Each structure stands twice: as structure tokens, then as C-alpha cells.
Amino acid sequence: EYPGYGLRAPETTTPQKCVQTATDIITAVARMYINEPLFVVGRSIGTGIAAQALIMSDAPNIEGLVLISPFSSVRELAAEKVPVLGQFLVPNHLLNTSDALSRIKASTRVTIIHGVDDTLIPFYHAQRLKAGRPSADLFSLEGGHNDLCVERLLQIVTDQTS
């Protein structure tokens, strides 16, 4: 779990600490499964963390990245949710998934999955990410942010990672 969430809730967290924790996990898992192709999966706020952690990791066996309900950047999302002030409250470098995707190796497979009825992180964030990474696979699913069909979601992830 990320620092400050779930069982680790008493900890003080920062986005940088979350990215470092994810990087450490990616590195440790990659070492344990050195001869296996691995995929990094992030959902919602975890998509920005996963993408940035993948850049920081030196694991050679990461084959792909799966982003479920991603945002293009926290700053853009904040500007949409809190017009005028949002863009000034969040630094541009903070969990910028679009920027991270542009820096991930071209050989890394990227899969984007998003609900077309998502009101928390609108579907057009996924479209922006796809536009910035044309080689990415984009799957649109019926549903919103927390009610995507689990069976369909698992089927896509299984197909894309096998």
C-alpha cells in the first residue's frame, strides 16, 4: 500500500514518497522475477504514480504499463474541478501522467482502460493520454470511475499482458 493509505494511514505521505515506494516495489518484484516479463498496473491516482515509478525504475524486464481510469495530470484535473484556482494550487510536475508517458521507453507497451461515464476523471483524460502516446491501446468501457465491469476489466488486462 502507498504510505498514508489503508493500513499505513498513520504515516505522513507526499506524492514523491508514493512514487518512491512504488519504484522500490517495482524494482524488488523485477529482481524476484528476473526472467519473467512484468507489467505495472495503476488505477486512478495510482496511474500517475505507476507511470512515474516506471521511469525511475531500472528494471529491465518491465514489458508494459496498464492504466485504469487515468488522469492526464493532477494539475489539469484540479483546474477542471476548481476552475481558476486549481491550476495554481498544483505544480505542473506533480503526477503528470502525460509527461511520464512521453518519457517511458517506446518499446514499453501501454494499455489505457477508462469508463466512458466516469465523472471523477472524465474519459477525455484517457483520450489525451492516447493522443500523446499513439502506440498505446485505449479501451473504453461502460461505467464510471468505481463501477467498471470487473470481468471485462480483467479480460482486457489478461489479453494485454499475455
Side-chain angles (χ1 to χ4, degrees):
E1 291 192 357
Y2 297 126
Y5 293 88
L7 298 175
R8 295 179 69 180
E11 290 185 48
T12 301
T13 192
T14 64
Q16 294 81 2
K17 190 184 278 189
C18 290
V19 170
Q20 186 58 58
T21 299
T23 303
D24 293 345
I25 292 168
I26 291 168
T27 301
V29 170
R31 285 185 186 141
M32 289 190 312
Y33 297 96
I34 193 69
N35 295 319
E36 299 291 329
L38 300 174
F39 287 78
V40 174
V41 179
R43 182 182 175 281
S44 192
I45 191 141
T47 60
I49 293 167
Q52 290 197 350
L54 186 55
I55 293 168
M56 292 176 59
S57 172
D58 59 357
N61 52 333
I62 302 298
E63 189 171 307
L65 174 66
V66 179
L67 303 175
I68 303 167
S69 303
F71 52 85
S72 49
S73 78
V74 169
R75 184 177 190 177
E76 288 178 16
L77 189 60
E80 294 166 10
K81 300 298 181 184
V82 186
V84 182
L85 287 179
Q87 65 183 334
F88 300 109
L89 296 175
V90 179
N92 193 41
H93 69 279
L94 184 66
L95 298 182
N96 188 327
T97 312
S98 294
D99 177 63
L101 286 185
S102 72
R103 296 171 35 214
I104 291 173
K105 294 185 297 187
S107 60
T108 302
R109 252 170 65 189
V110 175
T111 301
I112 303 166
I113 305 168
H114 209 112
V116 294
D117 300 318
D118 193 332
T119 57
L120 183 62
I121 303 174
F123 181 71
Y124 56 79
H125 280 263
Q127 293 171 311
R128 286 180 191 160
L129 294 173
K130 167 69 174 161
R133 179 90 177 203
S135 63
D137 293 314
L138 173 59
F139 294 89
S140 59
L141 298 182
E142 295 298 318
H145 193 74
N146 292 315
D147 62 352
L148 296 177
C149 175
V150 174
E151 291 82 12
R152 180 68 180 122
L153 187 61
L154 290 174
Q155 185 61 52
I156 292 169
V157 171
T158 300
D159 291 348
Q160 291 294 300
T161 59
S162 55

